[in-house]
Amino acid sequence: FTPAFDWIDQQNWLTPQLRAQRTQLALDSGNAELAAFLAQSLPAETAAPLLRWAALLRSPQDELARLVRNPQEPAAAAALLAAYTKLARTNPDAAIALYAPLLKARRLHGDDAVPFTAALAVGLGLSRRPEALDYFRKVPISFADDSVFEWRARAALWAGQWRLAQRWIAGMPKPLREQDRWTYWYARALDQHDSGHAQAQKLFAALSQKNGFFPALAAWRQQQACTPHPEPLAPDGAIWKDLSANANMIRAHELHLVDQDDWASAEWRVALNGQPREVRLQAGLMAADWEWPEQAITTLAGAAAYGDFEVTYPLPFDPAVNAASSLSGLPPSWIYAVLRQESLYNPQAVSRANAYGLLQLLLPTAREVARRWKQPAPSVDDLFKPEINVPLGAAYLSELRSRYQGSYILALGAYNAGPGAVARWLPDSPQDADIWIENIPYNETRSYIQRILWH
């Protein structure tokens, strides 16, 4: 991107105002390094508060402590809150210690103090600290956002405070409260006392008629088997005919046939831009007909259609998956579930961290696993081959499962976030698995485990 910005600069398009806006955007996204670099080109008076903000993000504990010692030094309230939010999530002990001194030194009272209280509460909730409940109680309902609503409920669940969890879930905004997640947890809370058992069972029964992770748990809570509810889609010949005549769709198909799926996806997006839902549904079926599951699934998901399981759960890699199952001892359904979540059936998938193929393996990890399982050491090109990638990925997942005494849940957490993260998240005493999953502090990993369990 540097040449592009150099050229823009030569045209004198980057005014000081635009440079300052770009610097602020970097700060808002938490990118202190970029913000500090960009601020160097600004007039000193304009740069000073932005550089102060960047310093706060770089070293929140030291900088906030310095501002406590020097209460007359200027600092934007938004910068203070950004730094304190980061500190609360990375060092909750330091955040607790600085909470009262910071509010006093910066004269943050009443409504001005509430965002800092909420930031500390959420940070403590993310760390599963018991003090979280005390700080959540201090946040007025009128100031709570979705993060506060969700994490205070999670904190109550972690602490086993079921009546408090019930009350806090009931107090969520209606769109949030009616999500399957919080319907399930409200029913779980009700089910903890005899007077709520009947209502809980009704909620579990209604929820179990849907598809997804929480409906599956609801069925289990009723001691019933999880029964997925397929919602197959019917092809519409007229829409298929129109799509087949669309120049962008024609190019998308031809590009897909020669394994140029990035270019094919670009044509696909142009073809469907602005199209109504019924056309996008048919396009998803067409992608499945082209044996392009990645596009079929993402297109149907974009149209909020998840129930055509023949389309959304194809089994295109049976030889590789069955070989992986024989090697690792894992059931094929588990291997397919992880494969689907990791790469969406794309053997050529490459992550930003340079993880490759269907099970998204880093080359060093793949080679270490191959050595331990007496398999040939793979190259990068080998990891794009299902017959090599899938057995090695399954072997690694099997190792993780053994490491955690047979727990698929902990193995999945380690596969996604690493064993170090899982070690930090393990409770001091046994905890219900559903509560443990719900309190995973990484949104990606929490969603990853829940989706794979449903897959």
Side-chain angles (χ1 to χ4, degrees), residues 37-114:
F37 170 77
L38 295 172
Q40 294 174 7
S41 63
L42 293 170
E45 185 177 346
T46 305
L50 299 172
L51 289 171
R52 190 175 298 115
W53 192 322
L56 279 161
L57 289 178
R58 281 171 164 166
S59 304
Q61 183 177 355
D62 292 341
E63 290 297 312
L64 288 170
R66 187 177 62 79
L67 290 173
V68 168
R69 295 191 302 269
N70 300 280
Q72 301 307 316
E73 184 174 333
L80 291 173
L81 180 59
Y84 190 73
T85 299
K86 182 176 180 180
L87 182 64
R89 297 185 178 211
T90 56
N91 190 340
D93 286 323
I96 292 174
L98 274 170
Y99 174 73
L102 180 65
L103 296 185
K104 181 179 179 181
R106 309 310 294 190
R107 297 183 179 179
L108 296 166
H109 309 291
D111 292 352
D112 293 334
V114 171

Side-chain angles (χ1 to χ4, degrees), residues 98-244:
L98 274 170
Y99 174 73
L102 180 65
L103 296 185
K104 181 179 179 181
R106 309 310 294 190
R107 297 183 179 179
L108 296 166
H109 309 291
D111 292 352
D112 293 334
V114 171
F116 293 83
T117 307
L120 178 56
V122 171
L124 292 169
L126 288 164
S127 298
R128 299 163 305 285
R129 296 280 293 267
E131 304 98 318
L133 296 177
D134 295 331
Y135 288 96
F136 276 123
R137 288 186 178 100
K138 296 177 182 179
V139 180
I141 195 74
S142 57
F143 283 84
D145 58 12
D146 283 359
S147 179
V148 169
F149 281 121
E150 293 197 307
W151 276 104
R152 72 176 189 170
R154 290 182 177 122
L157 294 170
W158 186 265
Q161 298 284 338
W162 289 103
R163 290 191 182 276
L164 183 60
Q166 178 185 337
R167 187 167 75 248
W168 279 350
I169 294 169
M172 289 178 171
K174 185 176 180 181
L176 187 63
R177 183 179 70 244
E178 292 183 348
Q179 290 178 5
D180 289 351
R181 176 187 309 277
W182 298 114
T183 298
Y184 170 78
W185 285 115
Y186 186 71
R188 276 276 271 136
L190 284 171
D191 208 28
Q192 299 304 306
H193 44 274
D194 292 341
S195 61
H197 178 72
Q199 184 183 355
Q201 290 303 307
K202 289 180 180 179
L203 290 172
F204 285 142
L207 185 57
S208 66
Q209 297 306 303
K210 303 169 72 174
N211 293 318
F213 172 71
F214 290 103
L217 288 185
W220 180 62
R221 287 286 161 189
Q222 299 176 93
Q223 299 182 341
Q224 296 178 3
C226 169
T227 304
H229 302 281
E231 299 168 353
L233 298 167
D236 185 311
I239 294 178
W240 277 50
K241 182 177 180 180
D242 289 343
L243 287 171
S244 298

Side-chain angles (χ1 to χ4, degrees), residues 316-324 336:
F317 301 111
D318 277 353
V321 169
N322 290 333
Y336 256 125

